[in-house]
Amino acid sequence: MTGAPGTRQRYAVIVVGSGISGLFVALEARRLGPVLVLTKGSIDDCNTRWAQGGIAAAVGPLDSPEQHLADTIAAGAGLVDEEAARILCFEAPARIRDLVRYGVSFDSLGGEVALGREAAHSRARVLHAGGDQTGAAIETALSAAAMDPAITILDHTLVTRLAVEEGEARGVEAVHLQTGEREWYEGDAIVLGTGGAGQLFSHTTNPEVATGDGVALAFDAGAEIADIEFYQFHPTALRVPGLPTFLISEAVRGEGAVLRNLAGEAFMQRYHPLADLAPRDVVSRAIVREMRREGSDHVFLDCTGLKSVDLAARFPAIFAHCMEAGIDMRVDPIPVAPAAHYLMGGVRTDTWGRTTIPRLYACGECACTGVHGANRLASNSLMETVVFGKRVVEHLAAGGGGAATATPDRIPFPAPSTAAPSHRELQAMMWECAGIERDGPGLERGLQTISGWPARQPGACTRGAFERQQMTTVAALMLTAALRRTESRGGHYRSDYPERDDAHWRRRQVFIRA
């Protein structure tokens, strides 16, 4: 059911966010009692809908959870939490069955599920639906299933504060954006499923809602934030003047497409033995270097050699979007450049989705389970949402209680007292100062820029003003963590410290509000 805020009511579970993590938790939790889903946009306004490539699970006859785990650990650059990653990889096949039960129809070939291969995977293990529309297919199926009397969905409802009383999360404060009405909602458990923070950057594959709200809400409430310096930039986003950024799935390279510079040279073999299927951080930096060398803002993704692949059928959304831009990917190379894509860090949780605040849980991109380490393995993100979303509900069904153990050496950090004057100014600053290649002076300049912005306005209730406050908090955390980490690892690259330093930095940074 859907509606608008009304009489104060208590729920078994309050879910903040309506992407795959939020809806999956809501569907699984409805057996525990009434569930409330709050989302600041419409129900389908989320990162999930834009996920093209697919969802990773070891379901093929030549694959195994052990090999999936090995690939996940290798991609994570020494910082993967192996217990969490083992849970992800071994529980993945069962979660695929759950999605099928909720109405997701994965693509098949010859009567068997079709499996694609993406960067840093040693096997073809990526399931997809509707070709390159996997996220949309999952979101559509879960949205339909969530039209249930046990689930109340309030869209255009912005959560502005987590209520923590006597050390426990007890509810949320929210404002209905269409009426301006404020409301308190009480819950036995609060689950954050708010997605990522791609809107921190001027070039991103993320939708407008991805402003890091869940991370900032949890930080303000006193939860721990971990690995916030690690941001993944997707190597291949459409770069055409005057057109918005559009993701060109890694699955295209998985089918055999080749990156070429303006001279037509296939360059990735110079940077990594896996060439075009190297880890995303390697490919993104290689593209940046080729662009810098040639004085260009793009390279080309060449699909013209894929004669055995029906590109229009395999990648219908990408094919149609490119055609609208005047590019026939069957005969024309696609101009691409990296764009901000995925936040590896976030609200620190344990393997049951518990944060360090009792009764407050998090899952999906806003959470930091540790499975991604410093660099996410392609298509593990959608799987992470359902694996740990399931575990959140399993923990609640068993009685809940407790919290993630506090980190002994967590770093106190004062919330910024300023807020970005505009989204555009914040995005430009973060792209310049905390983008694909970082250095100490640039990171310090970013922090100085934040300190010079106007003072925060208490009680800001418009969506734009609230988002700028949340984005400023996440930006300050990211800049600080990146400045402290004097090495390069995974999605964090420092040109002034270009080497990985396991002796000093094979550890996570965890922040807590001072």
Side-chain angles (χ1 to χ4, degrees), residues 36-37 63 75 112 190 236 291 299 317 329 390 393 400 405 421 428 476:
L36 174 65
V37 177
D63 202 0
E112 300 292 334
I190 315 300
T236 53
M291 292 191 304
V299 295
M329 58 192 291
K390 182 87 166 186
V393 179
T405 303

Side-chain angles (χ1 to χ4, degrees), residues 218-219 221-226 348 355-358 403-413 477 484 507-514:
F219 174 74
E224 291 183 355
I225 307 300
R348 192 180 76 79
T355 73
T356 46
I357 298 175
T405 303
T407 305
D409 56 350
R410 58 191 187 177
I411 304 160
F413 183 78
L477 282 163
R484 288 173 53 90
R507 56 186 173 88
R508 303 170 72 183
Q509 295 190 91
V510 178
F511 292 87
I512 189 79
R513 180 167 180 165

Side-chain angles (χ1 to χ4, degrees), residues 12 59 76 80 82 127 135 138 143 155-156 178 181 232-233 247 304 311 341 381 389 420 440 448 453 464 493-494:
V59 297
V80 168
E82 293 194 21
L127 296 88
I138 294 175
S143 296
D155 54 10
H156 304 292
Q178 294 177 330
E181 180 183 1
Q232 188 171 82
F233 295 84
L247 177 66
T304 61
L311 294 172
H341 187 58
S381 52
Q448 290 168 1
W453 283 340
Y493 180 80
R494 290 275 300 261

Side-chain angles (χ1 to χ4, degrees), residues 39 41 49 111 174 182 219 238 246 259 286 351 376 403 412 426 447 479 486:
T39 179
R49 179 162 292 277
R182 286 188 177 274
F219 174 74
L238 182 67
F246 182 80
L259 285 163
T351 56
R376 175 177 67 91
L426 184 143
L447 288 168
L479 288 161
T486 51

